[in-house]
Amino acid sequence: MCESLKNEYQLFEEIGRGRFGTVYRCFSPSSGEFFACKTIDKRLLTDPTDRECLEKEPKVLQLLSGNPHILQIYKLYEDENYLNIVTDLCESPDLYERITKSTFTESESATILKSLISAISFCHHMGVAHRDIKPDNILFDSRNRLKLADFGSAEYFGAGNEKGTMRGVVGTPYYVAPEVLMGREYNEKVDVWSAGVILYIMLAGVPPFYGETATETFEAVLRGNLRFPTRIFRSVSPEAKDLLRKMICKDVSRRLSADQVLRHPWIISVGETRSMADLT
């Protein structure tokens, strides 16, 4: 662990662990605030791809700094053996944990989706595609604010009128877009597909495409046969189903962009309903 980190932060208990890194709660005496510190042992990074992913993430987070729904990076410390990244502290259950406990109302789902898509839209305007949108990467801070995290698979594709396409099979079964699995060039709308799958799961409690193995799941994704079983979707509104069809759409030219999702009537109307409820 870097000595310069120890000089500025007090490290406390371990709160998370991954393949190459451990996450600790840490405290800054100068600001009086708690943060998370991800400590990565670079000596364990024998695969060049793993090293590239872990080196890319802090650079992407720094580029996206300032958005309230993207995990903020505050300090970066590095020496010969360790990389330490100080970020927002998100100790509330992540979206994966929340999904495993229950389904969500349309109002709850719309609130989460709106924050998620706001983060995705910001990424896309900055020319970055996340490429691994899934519930595990959607965190919540102590104020229950959504924070999109884990940008190790992200790719820069250009901003404004200079947008280009990407290649490379990345992502996670259940959530990956079919064009990624086909090995073709694709654009940033892969993130919209993944967010649509998350919305489906929040409302239904099950994914739209699945199989007994990863291969069977990928085959189901490639078929892209989106269904709304009556016993599950009986109480889901036509507007929510309409948005799902337009996000989980195999035809990329017809799939909504992140900005278009934010303008969809279901997102707007549910947001207005919540606003009215706050006034009563």
Side-chain angles (χ1 to χ4, degrees):
M1 193 171 292
C2 304
E3 284 302 318
S4 53
L5 168 70
K6 295 178 182 178
N7 293 335
E8 295 186 38
Y9 291 89
Q10 297 173 1
L11 266 67
F12 293 97
E13 75 275 16
E14 176 184 322
I15 56 175
R17 184 179 286 267
R19 271 200 304 161
F20 307 110
T22 304
V23 182
Y24 299 93
R25 180 208 296 269
C26 67
F27 177 73
S28 167
S30 62
S31 70
E33 294 180 279
F34 282 93
F35 298 90
C37 178
K38 185 176 184 179
T39 299
I40 297 157
D41 187 341
K42 296 192 292 184
R43 294 167 295 187
L44 300 176
L45 304 176
T46 55
D47 187 324
T49 303
D50 292 331
R51 180 175 286 273
E52 181 186 348
C53 286
L54 288 168
E55 289 177 350
K56 180 192 297 180
E57 183 173 24
K59 294 177 183 177
V60 173
L61 285 174
Q62 287 173 330
L63 174 66
L64 300 174
S65 176
N67 186 279
H69 295 300
I70 293 175
L71 190 75
Q72 299 296 296
I73 182 169
Y74 295 98
K75 283 290 188 77
L76 194 65
Y77 301 90
E78 188 170 11
D79 60 20
E80 186 178 347
N81 296 324
Y82 292 98
L83 173 64
N84 300 277
I85 309 169
V86 178
T87 68
D88 289 319
L89 178 63
C90 295
E91 291 186 288
S92 297
D94 62 30
L95 188 58
Y96 178 80
E97 292 179 71
R98 298 180 185 206
I99 282 173
T100 56
K101 291 177 181 176
S102 65
T103 54
F104 295 71
T105 66
E106 287 195 34
S107 180
E108 291 167 338
S109 300
T111 300
I112 291 172
L113 183 70
K114 186 174 182 180
S115 296
L116 173 60
I117 293 293
S118 295
I120 292 171
S121 173
F122 182 80
C123 292
H124 293 176
H125 280 290
M126 296 297 288
V128 173
H130 186 284
R131 302 201 301 174
D132 195 19
I133 302 287
K134 59 183 178 181
D136 319 50
N137 293 337
I138 300 169
L139 312 180
F140 296 89
D141 67 12
S142 59
R143 298 181 185 176
N144 207 35
R145 291 176 299 192
L146 182 147
K147 300 281 183 177
L148 180 59
D150 197 348
F151 283 80
S153 297
E155 186 64 66
Y156 184 77
F157 62 89
N161 296 323
E162 301 299 322
K163 289 184 177 180
T165 55
M166 296 161 278
R167 298 189 75 99
V169 180
V170 295
T172 303
Y174 299 123
Y175 308 101
V176 65
E179 62 267 27
V180 175
L181 296 176
M182 291 175 187
R184 300 174 182 170
E185 291 187 338
Y186 51 83
N187 65 23
E188 71 276 11
K189 287 186 181 180
V190 295
D191 290 342
V192 175
W193 172 285
S194 301
V197 172
I198 290 173
L199 175 59
Y200 188 105
I201 295 172
M202 284 194 292
L203 293 171
V206 293
F209 314 111
Y210 55 90
E212 293 297 321
T213 63
T215 300
E216 288 181 7
T217 299
F218 288 147
E219 289 171 352
V221 170
L222 287 169
R223 289 193 295 272
N225 186 12
L226 185 64
R227 296 176 177 172
F228 300 109
T230 304
R231 63 183 177 82
I232 297 175
F233 280 87
R234 184 180 293 107
S235 60
V236 175
S237 70
E239 292 80 12
K241 294 175 188 173
D242 178 72
L243 178 55
L244 285 168
R245 290 189 188 96
K246 290 174 178 175
M247 293 178 72
I248 311 175
C249 177
K250 277 190 72 176
D251 184 344
V252 180
S253 67
R254 292 174 54 231
R255 189 183 306 161
L256 297 184
S257 68
D259 286 349
Q260 288 172 325
V261 172
L262 291 173
R263 296 195 296 268
H264 189 275
W266 184 72
I267 291 287
I268 294 171
S269 65
V270 174
E272 289 173 346
T273 300
R274 287 183 70 89
S275 297
M276 288 299 292
D278 292 339
L279 295 172
T280 57

